Amino acid sequence: MSSVKQLVVVIAMLLLAVFVSACATVNPQAQVKTVTLAKTGETVYLFHGGNKLAKEEFCLNDLVPVYRFYYHFNNITQRSEEGTVKITGYEGDHFIKGVVVEGRIRNGDIAIKHSGATSCMIIVPESERE
């Protein structure tokens, strides 16, 4: 009976070695990082989620600065102004349509009015993507 236990242990260890080596030999898949940018003259949408205050503060023909936020390990947030968007209209209940006047704006950047009370997330439509 002792030899049967030893045989089972040896087979289990061999199988474990095979499984571990099989995981190590699989090549990692290439990670594709796409950065979605909108350049001067391209259309973007500002998502406000149906906030009535946003519809009141973001008026037609307003020039709104757009910021990119950088988050650090110790919860210190820095932001940099990346460009300006001119409000051109409203799209449904949740979006404001705008045109990039200056800068290069990414998907996920934040448009903030100078009062700071309201902000909108930038969405670059599929047709405008690089």
Side-chain angles (χ1 to χ4, degrees):
M1 192 67 147
S2 172
S3 63
V4 174
K5 285 185 181 180
Q6 287 178 346
L7 182 63
V8 170
V9 169
V10 168
I11 290 173
M13 291 178 71
L14 287 174
L15 287 175
L16 183 63
V18 168
F19 290 136
V20 170
S21 65
C23 291
T25 59
V26 174
N27 293 332
Q29 295 181 357
Q31 298 294 321
V32 178
K33 287 190 174 183
T34 58
V35 177
T36 306
L37 292 174
K39 300 173 193 156
T40 303
E42 294 182 344
T43 301
V44 295
Y45 293 97
L46 288 73
F47 176 74
H48 59 78
N51 185 351
K52 291 180 183 178
L53 183 60
K55 277 191 166 182
E56 293 171 5
E57 284 195 10
F58 289 90
C59 301
L60 287 176
N61 298 320
D62 271 357
L63 293 176
V64 182
V66 177
Y67 297 94
R68 186 166 302 137
F69 286 83
Y70 298 96
Y71 301 99
H72 296 285
F73 65 93
N74 56 357
N75 293 332
I76 296 174
T77 304
Q78 293 180 345
R79 71 179 187 181
S80 65
E81 188 169 338
E82 296 297 323
T84 307
V85 171
K86 181 178 181 180
I87 305 301
T88 58
Y90 300 97
E91 290 285 323
D93 294 334
H94 301 289
F95 293 96
I96 299 172
K97 190 174 185 179
V99 174
V100 179
V101 175
E102 152 188 357
R104 293 174 60 125
I105 297 172
R106 286 186 189 171
N107 234 0
D109 286 349
I110 306 293
I112 302 175
K113 289 289 284 192
H114 291 294
S115 64
T118 312
S119 60
C120 296
M121 184 174 71
I122 300 291
I123 306 292
V124 180
E126 289 288 331
S127 62
E128 301 288 336
R129 294 187 178 182
E130 290 184 335

